[in-house]
Amino acid sequence: LKFRLAGYPRKHNEGRIEVFYNEEWGTICDDDFTLANAHVLCRHLGFVAATGWAHSAKYGRGIGRIWLDNVNCAGGEKSIGDCKHRGWGNSDCSHEEDAGVICKDERIPGFKDSNVIEVRSLLARLGSQSLTVCLELCVSLWCQDWQGVGTLQAPHLSLRDRWSTTPPLLAGLAALVSGLLSPCRLFSGRQQLNYRLHSVSCTGTEVHLSMCTFEFYRGNASAACGAGMPAVVSCVPGSLFNTGNAHKKKQQQQQQGQLRIRLKGGAKVGEGRVEVLKGSKWGTICDDHWNLQSASVVCRELGFGSAKEALTGARMGQGMGPIHLNEVQCLGTEKSLWNCPFKNITQEDCKHTEDAAVRCNIPYMGYEALIRLSGGRSRFEGRVEVAVGAGNRDQPRWGLVCGEGWGTLEAMVACRQLGLGFANHGLQETWYWDTSNVTEMVLSGVKCAGHEMSLSHCQHHGSRLSCKNTGTRFAAGVICSETASDLLLHASLVQETAYIEDRPLHMLYCAAEENCLSSSAHLANWPYGHRRLLRFSSQIHNNGRADFRPKAGRHSWVWHECH
């Protein structure tokens, strides 16, 4: 069984509940529906519990079968199939009675979201990583990977359908180019095409194709489609995923002042708290009415695909400074978030606990296949090993990275490439992780800016290896974390509160013992005279999603008599 939330308008944690059973998506009738049913369904979706449920197709009427009716759960069942019901497909309801759920906005730790459309298995079957960059792609195989429904019939697809067809296929795509109705030469010679979908009708604002209306072919699917042909799309990559040096393109784009929007606080590429630039100040967006359509406008503006999730409640950490926008309501066709209707914020409207965030679809570039960790106690730590020669048909050769100059910025890129989130530590010696049979240094002089998606995008010595200590104990290592603290000084408060004070020396003994005074203080005539001090108030904000803890544990803290 697979489950998903659908319908509009809704937030990411609510919607019409749909279940994939017997190779077909369908809905659940609201007859005898209870909160206990919603608890079971929300756990299926990766949420810890339900806070409510909806009846009478609140999130719109579904299509296809109504799989379940008169569902009666106790609340503790592991699967909705374990609950009492009338039997699969046995219902006297119409889609006007489709049930919905409202889940608690808290994820089950480690839950893999089954509602995310993955393209990895598809690309493996296509057999070329370069296809992720610029690809003319048969929708037929994608549909089979997606929900086993076969091929789309092309004649019914219009120009506006192309906008919503592509982003879920290869997220990270900025635009579509012509060629939708060209013959499906990639696969027509290899397999018998079975058409399952036709009359697909999209408005262009859908975040993936399953949200459009369409019809199924019944009976002999191989004889369907008549004089038609398989639907084909051709896609153009966003700037981050184009060929060439990705981080240089990003820098050029920012230098041109094109972007007034950014993502912050996310552990992976294409996710984060949404921040916008207004009047030379970066600020956040309030999550009132925040939905997938508005989130998709943000993702596409940044060069990604449609949105996987529109996150509310500061799920990517709380921002600081102004909250610029409230009640953003995009149609989904806008090129920029600034083209969407919104309300200017007032002080009473929102707090940073309501900062909006997004998770975008991005293309599968295969970067994580070129790096691995060895020797660590968990999958989040270890000695860094990279693959060289992976572009050839030969087997890639694995080697070590020289630890000389390796630091936090390089570790950030390595953890991002591994898909493991943030870097806790970048280690220059890893003798305690000496468990692998990989002993050759293959990369040295690595110097990253911190935002690259792969170590190969950072500066390095290339084939001219230069490493003073080539032993395995001096190989680079990382400790990664899915969450991290992010400390930020409230700089404007320092400016606003700064003042000069002449303070007697006899009141500065503690400050002197803790080296808080300048080096000339030890020449003063203690305890007579005074020092001229710059005084100010300070606030340090933790914008991250993990508690900040000092490196020294409590057992090693020293209690000073002054405080």
Side-chain angles (χ1 to χ4, degrees):
L1 297 178
K2 295 180 183 178
F3 298 85
R4 68 183 181 191
L5 295 174
Y8 288 106
R10 67 182 182 91
K11 291 187 176 182
H12 69 281
N13 58 327
E14 63 178 327
R16 180 178 65 249
I17 185 70
E18 296 188 352
V19 57
F20 187 60
Y21 174 78
N22 198 22
E23 300 300 312
E24 188 174 342
W25 285 100
T27 60
I28 298 177
C29 182
D30 61 12
D31 289 353
D32 300 330
F33 206 87
T34 64
L35 186 62
N37 298 353
H39 282 311
V40 176
L41 290 164
C42 285
R43 288 197 296 271
H44 274 304
L45 293 160
F47 296 96
V48 295
T51 59
W53 60 279
H55 58 85
S56 305
K58 175 185 175 182
Y59 299 101
R61 288 175 290 180
I63 58 173
R65 301 285 295 273
I66 299 175
W67 278 125
L68 292 174
D69 191 6
N70 300 113
V71 180
N72 185 6
C73 301
E77 292 87 352
K78 291 185 177 180
S79 170
I80 196 71
D82 298 334
C83 303
K84 295 178 181 178
H85 54 81
R86 291 180 57 164
W88 289 96
N90 183 11
S91 171
D92 59 359
C93 298
S94 70
H95 281 296
E96 292 181 353
E97 300 169 83
D98 285 343
V101 294
I102 301 100
C103 302
K104 185 177 180 181
D105 195 3
E106 182 181 342
R107 303 291 285 176
I108 297 172
F111 184 86
K112 174 67 176 173
D113 193 351
S114 62
N115 201 26
V116 176
I117 298 173
E118 295 284 358
V119 298
R120 297 186 192 186
S121 56
L122 169 61
L123 295 173
R125 290 164 67 177
L126 294 177
S128 173
Q129 181 183 322
S130 63
L131 286 171
T132 62
V133 177
C134 190
L135 172 67
E136 186 170 282
L137 174 66
C138 276
V139 182
S140 57
L141 282 188
W142 170 64
C143 287
Q144 289 169 1
D145 277 5
W146 165 43
Q147 59 179 37
V149 295
T151 310
L152 290 168
Q153 181 175 346
H156 298 280
L157 284 167
S158 64
L159 181 64
R160 66 177 181 174
D161 296 328
R162 288 185 253 172
W163 178 247
S164 55
T165 302
T166 302
L169 292 172
L170 271 182
L173 310 170
L176 297 173
V177 296
S178 61
L180 182 68
L181 303 181
S182 62
C184 189
R185 293 183 297 273
L186 286 172
F187 299 101
S188 58
R190 299 189 202 174
Q191 63 174 29
Q192 177 67 42
L193 295 173
N194 292 313
Y195 293 91
R196 298 292 178 86
L197 289 185
H198 69 96
S199 302
V200 180
S201 178
C202 303
T203 64
T205 61
E206 295 84 357
V207 293
H208 60 82
L209 200 64
S210 67
M211 292 182 175
C212 303
T213 60
F214 52 80
E215 295 182 25
F216 287 103
Y217 276 117
R218 304 294 182 184
N220 186 2
S222 61
C225 200
M229 59 187 70
V232 178
V233 293
S234 195
C235 308
V236 175
S239 58
L240 277 175
F241 306 97
N242 214 329
T243 53
N245 200 320
H247 77 271
K248 285 185 179 178
K249 291 178 180 294
K250 183 177 180 182
Q251 287 175 335
Q252 290 170 0
Q253 194 175 40
Q254 289 175 340
Q255 286 169 0
Q256 292 167 359
Q258 294 176 348
L259 292 180
R260 295 169 58 200
I261 189 167
R262 67 185 183 187
L263 300 182
K264 287 289 185 180
K268 299 176 182 177
V269 175
E271 69 175 31
R273 179 178 61 253
V274 182
E275 296 188 353
V276 292
L277 182 64
K278 184 179 180 183
S280 75
K281 282 191 176 182
W282 285 100
T284 61
I285 297 176
C286 187
D287 64 9
D288 290 352
H289 301 310
W290 187 246
N291 59 24
L292 278 172
Q293 286 162 303
S294 299
S296 290
V297 172
V298 170
C299 291
R300 288 169 179 151
E301 184 176 359
L302 290 167
F304 304 114
S306 57
K308 276 195 279 194
E309 288 185 88
L311 303 173
T312 57
R315 286 265 300 279
M316 289 291 175
Q318 296 181 33
M320 61 179 297
I323 301 174
H324 284 319
L325 307 179
N326 188 20
E327 297 187 23
V328 178
Q329 293 180 291
C330 300
L331 296 175
T333 56
E334 296 87 352
K335 291 186 177 180
S336 170
L337 190 74
W338 293 100
N339 298 333
C340 302
F342 62 85
K343 287 186 178 179
N344 288 314
I345 205 79
T346 64
Q347 196 168 6
E348 298 79 25
D349 283 339
C350 283
K351 298 179 180 178
H352 282 297
T353 54
E354 302 171 79
D355 284 343
V358 296
R359 282 197 180 102
C360 304
N361 285 299
I362 64 168
Y364 174 66
M365 304 299 286
Y367 292 140
E368 64 267 38
L370 305 178
I371 188 171
R372 67 188 185 190
L373 300 182
S374 66
R377 297 164 296 179
S378 73
R379 67 186 186 94
F380 287 95
E381 66 178 30
R383 178 180 285 165
V384 177
E385 297 179 1
V386 295
V388 293
N392 305 324
R393 293 186 177 181
D394 303 331
Q395 277 295 106
R397 179 168 55 96
W398 289 94
L400 304 176
V401 179
C402 178
E404 189 178 326
W406 182 267
T408 303
L409 292 177
E410 291 70 34
M412 284 169 60
V413 176
C415 291
R416 183 181 298 121
Q417 185 177 353
L418 287 157
L420 297 179
F422 301 100
N424 269 354
H425 299 288
L427 305 163
Q428 296 186 358
E429 289 189 32
T430 53
W431 53 268
Y432 38 82
W433 285 334
D434 201 5
T435 60
S436 173
N437 57 0
V438 176
T439 58
E440 182 188 3
M441 291 280 185
V442 296
L443 198 63
S444 66
V446 179
K447 188 174 183 181
C448 302
H451 53 65
E452 297 89 347
M453 290 189 289
S454 167
L455 286 177
S456 62
H457 296 163
C458 302
Q459 296 179 30
H460 55 83
H461 291 153
S463 58
R464 297 171 303 184
L465 201 68
S466 176
C467 189
K468 291 181 181 178
N469 301 304
T470 55
T472 56
R473 67 170 291 171
F474 299 105
V478 294
I479 300 176
C480 306
S481 173
E482 288 183 308
T483 59
S485 55
D486 183 13
L487 303 187
L488 192 65
L489 174 68
H490 193 337
S492 59
L493 182 68
V494 174
Q495 293 176 333
E496 293 164 6
T497 59
Y499 66 98
I500 297 294
E501 180 189 20
D502 289 341
R503 198 163 181 85
L505 280 175
H506 68 83
M507 298 177 66
L508 292 173
Y509 276 108
C510 286
E513 287 181 21
E514 296 186 20
N515 276 330
C516 291
L517 302 179
S518 62
S519 57
S520 62
H522 74 278
L523 302 175
N525 185 21
W526 291 83
Y528 308 105
H530 66 272
R531 302 288 295 177
R532 178 158 290 181
L533 306 177
L534 175 65
R535 305 294 301 272
F536 53 88
S537 298
S538 174
Q539 283 184 9
I540 307 292
H541 291 260
N542 182 2
N543 283 10
R545 291 186 288 149
D547 291 338
F548 172 74
R549 296 186 178 92
K551 290 183 180 179
R554 292 179 65 94
H555 63 278
S556 60
W557 291 4
V558 176
W559 293 99
H560 197 281
E561 63 180 0
C562 296
H563 49 73

